[in-house]
Amino acid sequence: MANDATETLPTSTTARPGPSWRSSLAVFGASRVLSLFVVWLATRTTSGHTAQGVLTNWDGNWYELIVAGGYPSSPGPGGGFGEWSRLAFFPLYPAIVRSVEEVTPLGYSEAGIFVSLLCAGAAMAVLHRLVATVYDDTVAWRTVALVSFAPAGYIFTMMYTEGLAMLLVALTFLSLQRRRPATAALWAFLGSLSRPNGFILVVPLAIVGWREFRSSRDLRHLLPVLAAPAGFAAWVAYAWYRTGAVDGYFRIQQEIWGARIDFGAETARSFVDVVTGDWANPNATIGVFVLAVSAFALVVGRRLALPPEWWWYALAVVVLVAINARQLSAARFVLLAFPLFVVPAKACRADVFGWLLASSACLMSAMLMASAAPNFSLTP
């Protein structure tokens, strides 16, 4: 059996010269140019919105409300959990946007879009550094390109949390790679305050912490594991304090947003619909294809021997999407599972990768156009 020394975090010793992180920023910039062009095109054709309206639509509307007015301190005249809808949205992103709005001439919407773009750009630079540490710069650049042009990658331009969450995920993994568990715990804690699924960062923290504990028998290596669930627990406790119900947060998610753990029942129904030719619900149809592609990538990733903490983290993200009854945004939710994008980045030949990237860019453009259309129910 391999000794502990062989189970440490892998570092490439055969890295070849390749594109730098600046090249990754360039490809991310190109993807933003494409997304903004599609937004401009949508405003001229189908959306009925201004460009700013498209970029702050859907969840962006809720974040604008939170940035402008905070979270409710009382249920309001209507009563019921509908008055607590804002508590479904975690606080880190709107807090940063509010801070930017206060120190710049930007309004709420402009500050939100600025924060999203800035965080996403930083995330791509960190992601490049992370993947290049394990593989090489070429695989790193390819990974960033695939994430940037992913079918749901347009979300990095919108007033959504994905750019911030991706940055915190990449920083957590990079800190683990550099054997800085306390720093990784900090990033994971912040990550769990950025999105409801941020607590999944407990997976890499637990794997790496256990590996280090096995070699040293020092319990301090297990302490960072508490960081990711701590942020989620703190927000659930805040929702309890505000609503007066210990399960307030989960009731908001279920009663207002339709999000609950159903252990895959809705996913199974969607799968049957797709197989039998019923593609009437575009969100469910896309979700089925996203989960199928993700499952294939996980199988290939296992064969490619991805770092264990990478593979198990990606699996946890995909499983959480599959067992959630809210099958509306699967393509967006799996964006944070960056190891899924490392798989084709490492496995594909250059010509195949080119076609894959071009196809993904076309899908991103089509999904952005569809989500901007007023009479089309595709949810980002």
Side-chain angles (χ1 to χ4, degrees):
M1 184 175 69
N3 57 33
D4 289 336
T6 63
E7 295 180 356
T8 56
L9 296 174
T11 300
S12 174
T13 58
T14 59
R16 301 186 302 275
S20 69
W21 62 269
R22 295 179 180 84
S23 298
S24 286
L25 283 182
V27 76
F28 174 72
S31 71
R32 296 314 92 191
V33 170
L34 175 61
S35 65
L36 289 173
F37 171 75
V38 174
V39 168
W40 174 85
L41 192 61
T43 63
R44 300 300 189 274
T45 54
T46 62
S47 76
H49 294 292
T50 64
Q52 182 173 303
V54 173
L55 296 177
T56 59
N57 203 6
W58 301 95
D59 286 8
N61 293 326
W62 288 99
Y63 283 118
E64 279 192 278
L65 290 174
I66 296 168
V67 172
Y71 294 96
S73 57
S74 61
F81 273 85
E83 301 296 327
W84 300 107
S85 298
R86 299 183 200 180
L87 289 173
F89 298 90
F90 277 48
L92 185 59
Y93 175 74
I96 295 173
V97 173
R98 180 59 182 264
S99 298
V100 170
E101 186 271 336
E102 289 181 347
V103 300
T104 68
L106 299 175
Y108 298 135
S109 300
E110 294 88 349
I113 296 167
F114 172 78
V115 170
S116 295
L117 286 170
L118 184 65
C119 288
M124 299 309 147
V126 177
L127 183 60
H128 180 108
R129 189 67 59 88
L130 169 65
V131 177
T133 301
V134 177
Y135 297 107
D136 58 41
D137 283 314
T138 299
V139 174
W141 181 88
R142 286 181 167 192
T143 300
V144 170
L146 289 173
V147 173
S148 299
F149 285 101
Y154 63 86
I155 210 69
F156 293 128
T157 314
M158 298 180 69
M159 196 172 177
Y160 271 69
T161 62
E162 267 65 28
L164 173 62
M166 179 67 82
L167 174 60
L168 294 169
V169 167
L171 285 169
T172 300
F173 276 91
L174 185 61
S175 296
L176 289 174
Q177 190 71 31
R178 293 177 172 177
R179 300 187 180 281
R180 297 172 182 170
T183 306
L186 172 62
W187 297 130
F189 175 74
L190 293 175
S192 68
L193 288 174
S194 68
R195 284 197 51 75
N197 59 354
F199 74 90
I200 297 177
L201 285 169
V202 70
V203 173
L205 290 174
I207 292 173
V208 174
W210 177 250
R211 186 162 54 212
E212 295 297 329
F213 170 74
R214 286 178 58 196
S215 64
S216 67
R217 297 299 172 180
D218 187 345
L219 287 172
R220 289 177 296 180
H221 290 298
L222 298 178
L223 292 178
V225 176
L226 302 175
F232 180 82
W235 190 246
V236 170
Y238 179 76
W240 176 10
Y241 168 72
R242 284 304 187 192
T243 64
V246 65
D247 60 344
Y249 172 77
F250 301 101
R251 288 178 62 183
I252 292 167
Q253 287 285 11
Q254 179 172 342
E255 296 178 18
I256 308 304
W257 302 106
R260 69 184 190 281
I261 301 300
D262 70 350
F263 300 99
E266 189 63 34
T267 298
R269 282 191 287 269
S270 297
F271 179 80
V272 171
D273 288 342
V274 169
V275 171
T276 57
D278 182 3
W279 294 17
N281 185 339
N283 296 296
T285 300
I286 291 172
V288 168
F289 281 101
V290 166
L291 289 173
V293 172
S294 298
F296 178 75
L298 285 168
V299 172
V300 177
R302 196 69 170 171
R303 295 178 62 87
L304 291 176
L306 290 178
E309 60 274 16
W310 291 22
W311 190 87
W312 284 104
Y313 166 75
L315 176 65
V317 173
V318 173
V319 168
L320 186 60
V321 173
I323 64 175
N324 194 327
R326 181 178 166 84
Q327 294 293 308
L328 292 179
S329 307
R332 173 166 63 90
F333 291 158
V334 301
L335 271 179
L336 299 184
F338 72 90
L340 299 178
F341 299 90
V342 175
V343 171
K346 180 171 174 55
C348 288
R349 301 192 315 265
D351 56 339
V352 175
F353 176 79
W355 281 107
L356 177 63
L357 185 61
S359 300
S360 189
C362 291
L363 285 173
M364 183 184 78
S365 301
M367 286 183 62
L368 174 53
M369 182 70 78
S371 69
N375 298 320
F376 199 78
S377 57
L378 184 63
T379 306

